[in-house]
Amino acid sequence: GEEVAQTPKHLVRGEGQKAKLYCAPIKGHSYVFWYQQVLKNEFKFLISFQNENVFDETGMPKERFSAKCLPNSPCSLEIQATKLEDSAVYFCASSPNMGGFYGYTFGSGTRLTVV
Amino acid sequence: ELKVEQNPLFLSMQEGKNYTIYCNYSTTSDRLYWYRQDPGKSLESLFVLLSNGAVKQEGRLMASLDTKARLSTLHITAAVHDLSATYFCAVDSTSGSRLTFGEGTQLTVNP
């Protein structure tokens, strides 16, 4: 399809619980990116993939966050032992090529609330 | 580390007026993007600027890129209420592996 599909739209977890978010990129897009948007509009880069390979993971808090993009499956972002500060909207974006020459298409986001 | 600064962060305009939003960034890049975000919604791509001197226009919005000055502008002409939203610029890393976003400009157009 021509949209980046993110599920679920909303997710509520108690502190310490696991959260798993999914992203299906646009068909034919080889690059997938995850961003976290916190309350004051700030976007924080988390991780990017080229197909199933990690492209850039310098934004990932590695002790609790992990991500995968496996063939023929939606990409996933998993947070182990969620904390209150993980409450945010998580956006996935995809791109057909490296370097963003055709731009990046963002999904509608998953709103994670940790209580 | 690449830093991206937008100004103003808040902009209240009257319908029919013109204004410019500025986006400055700290290290070399020749790829910059403008997005619009409505409350509770995703990012809508407005402009993709890929080279020095690039200028693109869509309706009442026009964006430009000066890579030597590390500056992009988003110009609004004759604002209408429907343009009320938050506008973000984002700069691509050299490798294309990540975007760095500005803080966003919250635009309100008043009748």
Side-chain angles (χ1 to χ4, degrees):
Chain A
E2 290 301 309
E3 67 170 24
V4 177
Q6 289 190 248
T7 56
K9 290 195 183 305
H10 302 278
L11 192 56
V12 180
R13 288 289 179 266
E15 263 197 298
Q17 290 186 317
K18 185 172 74 175
K20 197 164 185 177
L21 292 60
Y22 297 92
C23 167
I26 291 173
K27 192 175 180 181
H29 282 200
S30 305
Y31 294 84
V32 171
F33 306 79
W34 286 97
Y35 294 89
Q36 178 194 56
Q37 186 180 28
V38 294
L39 281 177
K40 287 196 172 183
N41 283 335
E42 178 191 351
F43 278 90
K44 181 186 172 190
F45 167 76
L46 295 175
I47 191 169
S48 57
F49 288 85
Q50 179 186 7
N51 296 311
E52 61 267 29
N53 303 306
V54 174
F55 190 15
D56 183 343
E57 59 182 347
T58 52
M60 282 285 268
K62 291 184 185 173
E63 62 277 5
R64 295 186 299 110
F65 285 60
S66 62
K68 292 180 189 176
C69 281
L70 299 175
N72 302 312
S73 297
C75 297
S76 63
L77 177 69
E78 188 168 328
I79 309 171
Q80 301 285 344
T82 53
K83 297 182 178 181
L84 295 175
E85 69 219 41
D86 298 330
S87 294
V89 181
Y90 291 81
F91 286 101
C92 172
S94 72
S95 173
N97 66 317
M98 187 179 73
F101 294 102
Y102 296 97
Y104 300 90
T105 304
F106 282 77
S108 56
T110 293
R111 181 175 296 277
L112 172 64
T113 303
V114 181
V115 298
Chain B
E1 182 188 342
L2 174 60
K3 293 193 187 305
V4 181
E5 292 183 349
Q6 283 182 239
N7 72 84
L9 299 183
F10 298 93
L11 178 55
S12 182
M13 298 176 63
Q14 277 191 309
E15 278 193 326
K17 298 293 187 184
N18 305 332
Y19 209 82
T20 300
I21 299 170
Y22 297 88
C23 175
N24 292 274
Y25 55 99
S26 62
T27 63
T28 301
S29 177
D30 56 4
R31 298 190 301 282
L32 188 142
Y33 311 85
W34 283 96
Y35 293 94
R36 168 182 171 146
Q37 187 178 39
D38 291 290
K41 302 292 186 184
S42 185
L43 291 170
E44 174 191 350
S45 179
L46 296 175
F47 299 107
V48 177
L49 303 171
L50 299 177
S51 61
N52 186 41
V55 177
K56 292 198 175 177
Q57 182 162 5
E58 182 74 37
R60 300 174 188 276
L61 300 178
M62 183 171 72
S64 66
L65 177 61
D66 181 343
T67 59
K68 293 179 181 177
R70 297 177 188 166
L71 171 68
S72 179
T73 60
L74 180 67
H75 186 72
I76 303 156
T77 302
V80 293
H81 179 69
D82 284 354
L83 290 179
S84 296
T86 299
Y87 292 83
F88 290 91
C89 64
V91 179
D92 216 338
S93 62
T94 305
S95 63
S97 67
R98 61 191 293 172
L99 291 176
T100 301
F101 283 82
E103 308 97 319
T105 296
Q106 189 174 317
L107 171 66
T108 304
V109 181
N110 303 303

